Amino acid sequence: MPICPVCRLELDSWMDISEHIEKMANEKSDPQHVMWLNRHISNKEIKKEDLETWLFNYFEKPNELSLWIRKRFIEKFYSHKPHPFMLAMQKPTRGVLLGYVLEHRHFLQNWVKVLSLIVFNTDKDDVIKYELENISTEYLGINGKPSHYELLIRMGESLGLSREIIFSTDPLPSTKESIETWRYIALNRPWIETMAAMHSLEIAADRSNKNYGAKIHYFDIEILNSDKYNKEVKDFLREGYEADIGHTGEALNLIEKYADTRKTIENIKVTVLKSLDALDKYLFARLERAMQFEPELIEVIKQ
C-alpha cells in the first residue's frame, strides 16, 4: 500500500496519493506538501496523471531496496549537476577543509549517539555487532588506529585551528537543524528506518558510486598522492576512501534483510528521502562555514 512521502498517509494506489498531494498542495496550500513538490518535482503545476506516473517510477523502480537507496542518493548528489560541496571537494581549499572540520565534528558526535539508539532498539545480533563496530571506528579507534573523529581534529589542527577553537565552535544553524532531523528520526521511527537514514549517508564516500552512474567521486583521489596537501589532510580523506568497499553495502544488505513488509519498505524510502534532504542542508553548512575563511567561495555555491 503506497504512502504519502510527506505525511505518510496510507492509500490504495499512487493515483490516490497523487490526488492527495495535489489537494494538500493546491487546495489547502499545506507548506510541507508544497515544499516537497517544489523540491522533488517542480514548482509548476503538474497534472494528477503525470504526478502518478512520476511517483510510481520514483518509488517503485528499481525494485531492490538497496539499489533504490543508492540510486536516489546518486541522483541527488552526484548526477549531471553534483552538489556544490562535492564540487568543492575535487580540489578543496583550506577554507573548505576547515568548514568540513568545524561542522563535521558535530555530525560525528550525533552519528554515534544515533547509532547507539539503533543498538538499544534492535534485538538483531548482526545489526548490533555492525553498529558497535561503526561506533568504535568513528569515535574510539580500533586496533591501534586513531578514530575518524580524531583524524578529523588532527586535520583541523594541521590547517591552523587549535583543539580549543575546534571544540568550542558551535554548529551553524543548518547543521543544527539537520542534526535535529536525524535525532527526530532516531527517537520516533523504528530502528530499521533509523539505520537506513544514517547509513544511506555513507554512500557519499563509497568508491563504487561510479558503477551506479555517479559523475564524480567524493573527492579527487589524486589528492592522496599530491604534495599540495599535508599528511593530516590525506590521512583523514584516505580513511574514508580506503574503508572496505563493501562497508556501505553491508548496511544496505542488513536493511534489506529485515525490511520484510511492503509497509516497512515504503516507510524506509520516505525516511531516507528526509535524511538526504537533511544531508543536503548540512553540506551547504560546511560551505557556509568555509566562507568565513574564504569569502570568495560564494562562487562555488552559485555554480
Side-chain angles (χ1 to χ4, degrees), residues 27-60:
E27 294 182 24
K28 297 190 176 182
S29 298
D30 177 73
Q32 296 301 316
H33 287 78
V34 171
M35 284 191 295
W36 193 90
L37 280 174
N38 291 345
R39 182 183 298 121
H40 292 280
I41 305 178
S42 173
N43 57 9
K44 298 179 181 179
E45 188 172 350
I46 182 172
K47 295 179 181 179
K48 285 183 292 187
E49 294 78 12
D50 293 336
L51 179 56
E52 177 199 17
T53 300
W54 188 94
L55 289 167
F56 177 83
N57 289 331
Y58 190 78
F59 284 98
E60 300 288 350

Side-chain angles (χ1 to χ4, degrees), residues 3 10 22 33 105 109 166 181 199 218 257 294:
I3 66 172
E10 296 183 21
E22 183 190 53
H33 287 78
R105 183 184 77 82
Q109 272 197 340
I166 294 171
T181 295
H199 291 293
Y218 186 49
K257 176 181 178 179
E294 297 172 6

Side-chain angles (χ1 to χ4, degrees), residues 154-203:
R154 291 180 186 180
M155 179 170 75
E157 288 182 304
S158 76
L159 295 169
L161 291 186
S162 67
R163 286 191 176 233
E164 181 180 7
I165 291 175
I166 294 171
F167 285 110
S168 64
T169 301
D170 293 330
L172 288 171
S174 292
T175 295
K176 187 175 181 181
E177 187 175 339
S178 295
I179 285 173
E180 287 171 353
T181 295
W182 291 313
R183 286 184 178 176
Y184 179 87
I185 291 170
L187 291 169
N188 292 279
R189 302 303 305 172
W191 68 263
I192 193 169
E193 290 182 38
T194 305
M195 190 176 188
M198 301 314 292
H199 291 293
S200 61
L201 307 181
E202 291 186 303
I203 295 173

Side-chain angles (χ1 to χ4, degrees), residues 33-258:
H33 287 78
V34 171
M35 284 191 295
W36 193 90
L37 280 174
N38 291 345
R39 182 183 298 121
H40 292 280
I41 305 178
S42 173
N43 57 9
K44 298 179 181 179
E45 188 172 350
I46 182 172
K47 295 179 181 179
K48 285 183 292 187
E49 294 78 12
D50 293 336
L51 179 56
E52 177 199 17
T53 300
W54 188 94
L55 289 167
F56 177 83
N57 289 331
Y58 190 78
F59 284 98
E60 300 288 350
K61 300 177 183 178
N63 185 56
E64 183 182 344
L65 179 59
S66 60
L67 187 57
W68 184 92
I69 293 172
R70 283 186 183 274
K71 184 175 179 64
R72 297 289 88 85
F73 187 100
I74 289 169
E75 283 177 349
K76 191 174 184 69
F77 297 101
Y78 287 127
S79 64
H80 64 281
K81 188 179 180 181
H83 192 283
F85 182 79
M86 308 308 193
L87 290 174
M89 281 297 294
Q90 299 311 297
K91 294 182 180 180
T93 62
R94 176 176 178 271
V96 168
L97 293 171
L98 288 178
Y100 197 152
V101 170
L102 292 175
E103 299 308 305
H104 200 53
R105 183 184 77 82
H106 300 285
F107 174 94
L108 287 180
Q109 272 197 340
N110 183 67
W111 175 267
V112 297
K113 291 177 182 179
V114 171
L115 297 196
S116 296
L117 280 171
I118 296 172
V119 172
F120 180 80
N121 287 319
T122 187
D123 60 357
K124 308 300 183 184
D125 284 342
D126 47 1
V127 173
I128 292 171
K129 183 172 183 265
Y130 180 80
E131 297 299 9
L132 289 176
E133 288 175 349
N134 266 275
I135 291 169
S136 297
T137 300
E138 292 292 342
Y139 216 72
L140 300 175
I142 56 175
N143 299 324
K145 295 178 62 177
S147 67
H148 205 205
Y149 187 79
E150 173 62 23
L151 291 174
L152 178 77
I153 304 306
R154 291 180 186 180
M155 179 170 75
E157 288 182 304
S158 76
L159 295 169
L161 291 186
S162 67
R163 286 191 176 233
E164 181 180 7
I165 291 175
I166 294 171
F167 285 110
S168 64
T169 301
D170 293 330
L172 288 171
S174 292
T175 295
K176 187 175 181 181
E177 187 175 339
S178 295
I179 285 173
E180 287 171 353
T181 295
W182 291 313
R183 286 184 178 176
Y184 179 87
I185 291 170
L187 291 169
N188 292 279
R189 302 303 305 172
W191 68 263
I192 193 169
E193 290 182 38
T194 305
M195 190 176 188
M198 301 314 292
H199 291 293
S200 61
L201 307 181
E202 291 186 303
I203 295 173
D206 192 319
R207 279 187 287 164
S208 68
N209 282 339
K210 286 193 174 182
N211 297 336
Y212 298 94
K215 302 302 181 185
I216 59 173
H217 185 59
Y218 186 49
F219 61 89
D220 184 348
I221 60 173
E222 292 303 316
I223 290 172
L224 300 178
N225 300 312
S226 173
D227 293 334
K228 295 180 180 179
Y229 297 92
N230 65 41
K231 177 180 181 298
E232 288 77 11
V233 169
K234 289 188 280 191
D235 284 349
F236 173 76
L237 295 177
R238 184 180 290 109
E239 181 69 16
Y241 179 75
E242 293 186 348
D244 181 5
I245 197 169
H247 179 73
T248 302
E250 184 178 352
L252 295 179
N253 289 338
L254 286 170
I255 293 160
E256 193 147 27
K257 176 181 178 179
Y258 293 113

